[in-house]
Amino acid sequence: MLADGFHDVPDGKIAAVVTSLEMFAKPPPRPEADGLDWTLERLASPAAEDYLALYSAVGRDWLWFTRLVMPREALLAAIRDPRVEVWRLAAPGGETGILELDFRQPDTCELAYFGVSPGLVGGGAARWMMNRAVERAWSRPIRRFWVHTCTLDHPNAPRFYMRSGFQPFRREVEIADDPRLAGLAPLDSAPHIPVIRGDSA
């Protein structure tokens, strides 16, 4: 357990407070705007390059890195598992989104990855996609649907998930290598999170 007070984060690392949220029953769908021109496409057996391009298009500004550092064989095993559903949001102007549902744990669905590219933030696409996520998750015989977010994500993410029917149940601290310093993300991505190289860099 971490003691109260401040704790140094080593140079070259990033730190995030992770909040996990869950629901145990299907909530009613949230209202959606009329005339939406969005569709979801199931990626049944995606190539690693196609998946990572989608993952990065949505997650680059929030320093998503877990899939980028995963060994290629492990990545393909996860995203091609028949119990994992990867969906791509198609929207006008080349904007996109990712919805990944993981049913590998009994009676459970994890909303493993969820988000939209920068041009869709705040425009209702995430709410529309969440309604589809809830519908897909609860179409299976599950008892629990859960997700986690962190302080590297959009600051409204926890409230968005709670408005969608999730309730927080756990908080953790994660420390990891800064993906920008490893060449996995552009150095100018996520400008709200300063890069700290250290004296030796």
Side-chain angles (χ1 to χ4, degrees):
M1 298 291 292
L2 290 175
D4 290 350
F6 292 92
H7 300 271
D8 286 339
V9 176
D11 294 345
K13 301 280 188 177
I14 53 173
V17 177
V18 180
T19 300
S20 295
L21 307 97
E22 62 189 354
M23 63 171 72
F24 293 97
K26 180 182 176 182
R30 297 181 65 197
E32 299 174 0
D34 295 328
L36 305 177
D37 191 16
W38 302 317
T39 58
L40 277 176
E41 173 193 5
R42 174 86 183 269
L43 306 182
S45 184
E49 293 74 16
D50 294 338
Y51 175 88
L52 290 175
L54 174 62
Y55 177 91
S56 296
V58 174
R60 183 179 296 113
D61 285 348
W62 314 112
L63 290 189
W64 288 10
F65 64 88
T66 306
R67 297 297 202 193
L68 300 176
V69 300
M70 183 179 288
R72 190 59 53 92
E73 296 79 12
L75 172 64
L76 290 174
I79 63 178
R80 293 180 176 178
D81 190 301
R83 297 166 296 176
V84 174
E85 297 184 5
V86 179
W87 297 82
R88 174 170 52 208
L89 174 71
E95 297 292 345
T96 191
I98 187 172
L99 164 59
E100 186 171 331
L101 300 171
D102 187 340
F103 294 94
R104 289 179 291 178
Q105 295 298 316
D107 302 321
T108 298
C109 178
E110 179 186 359
L111 183 56
Y113 291 99
F114 180 91
V116 296
S117 57
L120 293 177
V121 173
R127 180 186 298 191
W128 181 88
M129 196 165 63
M130 179 58 76
N131 280 345
R132 263 80 262 159
V134 168
E135 187 68 33
R136 289 295 307 171
W138 289 102
S139 70
R140 304 278 193 100
I142 64 169
R143 297 180 180 177
R144 177 174 176 259
F145 187 26
W146 77 283
V147 65
H148 72 265
T149 185
C150 75
T151 48
L152 302 180
D153 286 334
H154 193 286
N156 289 336
R159 284 179 291 177
F160 171 81
Y161 288 125
M162 292 173 69
R163 287 195 297 265
S164 299
F166 293 92
Q167 293 298 318
F169 71 93
R170 183 174 62 210
R171 185 167 290 129
E172 302 167 285
V173 174
E174 179 182 24
I175 296 176
D177 291 333
D178 191 326
R180 295 168 294 188
L181 296 179
L184 299 173
L187 281 173
D188 61 354
S189 59
H192 62 295
I193 306 164
V195 175
I196 300 179
R197 297 175 179 269
D199 295 336
S200 59

